[in-house]
Amino acid sequence: MRISELSRRSGVSVTTIKYYLREGLLPPGLQTAATQAEYDDQHLRRLRLIRALTGVRGLSVSTTREVLDALAEHTGDTHRLLGLALGSVRVGEKPADDVPDAAEVDALVRELGWDVHEAAPARATLAETLGSLRALGVPLDWHTLLPYARLAERTAVLDLDQLDGIEDPLETAERALLLTVLLEPALMALRRMAQENESARRHTT
């Protein structure tokens, strides 16, 4: 396809596509003339993934390039690929600095028997949240989080079920990213609705 069709099918402007080409985020097309090139479905899939990484995850162009390069190295490792696309593992994984309440998170992960990398950003986020709650006079420990974690396990099964049957690595990464990031507000809305319903059940006559 020509760049105009690539733009139409991807929803990305020609100007932006040319910028991605200059920055090395998108590989060049097949040169057919001095000023013309043809692109294929792989360009379309990669362009959609770029848009998801920059628009949905909010990554910078340089970080997006790092993620894409890392994805290219791990196209045969679906677990690693998903971790990179979703940000559950960092490019060049290094354990995070010590965070207060990290021991609580470690205990929770051990109790659950989860396989979660020690440098996973979610570990630090959870530890920081526990610290904030404690500072506000709501001390929670990992035992309190355990039933919530079990619910999260079941949600993760549903999430990964949505990716079954997708063979192209770029499409897998894009689909996972969109389902995870864009579905999170809907899951939060469902929680709020369920809380309202439970409150009505308990407190109204």
Side-chain angles (χ1 to χ4, degrees), residues 21 26-30 37-39 43:
L21 287 166
L26 192 66
L30 177 65
E38 289 187 349
Y39 304 88
H43 287 92

Side-chain angles (χ1 to χ4, degrees), residues 104-116:
E104 290 286 336
V105 177
D106 292 341
L108 177 65
V109 171
R110 282 195 303 271
E111 176 67 20
L112 292 163
W114 283 1
D115 183 3
V116 180

Side-chain angles (χ1 to χ4, degrees), residues 86-173:
L86 298 176
S88 56
V89 295
R90 295 182 175 93
V91 178
E93 266 171 349
K94 294 180 180 178
D97 295 332
D98 289 339
V99 178
D101 296 290
E104 290 286 336
V105 177
D106 292 341
L108 177 65
V109 171
R110 282 195 303 271
E111 176 67 20
L112 292 163
W114 283 1
D115 183 3
V116 180
H117 196 278
E118 61 182 1
R123 280 180 176 263
T125 298
L126 188 54
E128 289 165 1
T129 300
L130 289 174
S132 296
L133 287 168
R134 181 171 286 106
L136 292 170
V138 187
L140 298 182
D141 61 16
W142 68 266
H143 297 89
T144 308
L145 292 177
L146 191 57
Y148 289 95
R150 293 300 184 194
L151 290 173
E153 276 185 327
R154 299 208 293 273
T155 301
V157 171
L158 296 173
D159 289 338
L160 272 292
D161 282 348
Q162 301 297 316
L163 305 179
D164 284 349
I166 302 176
E167 298 181 359
D168 184 273
L170 293 181
E171 186 177 355
T172 299

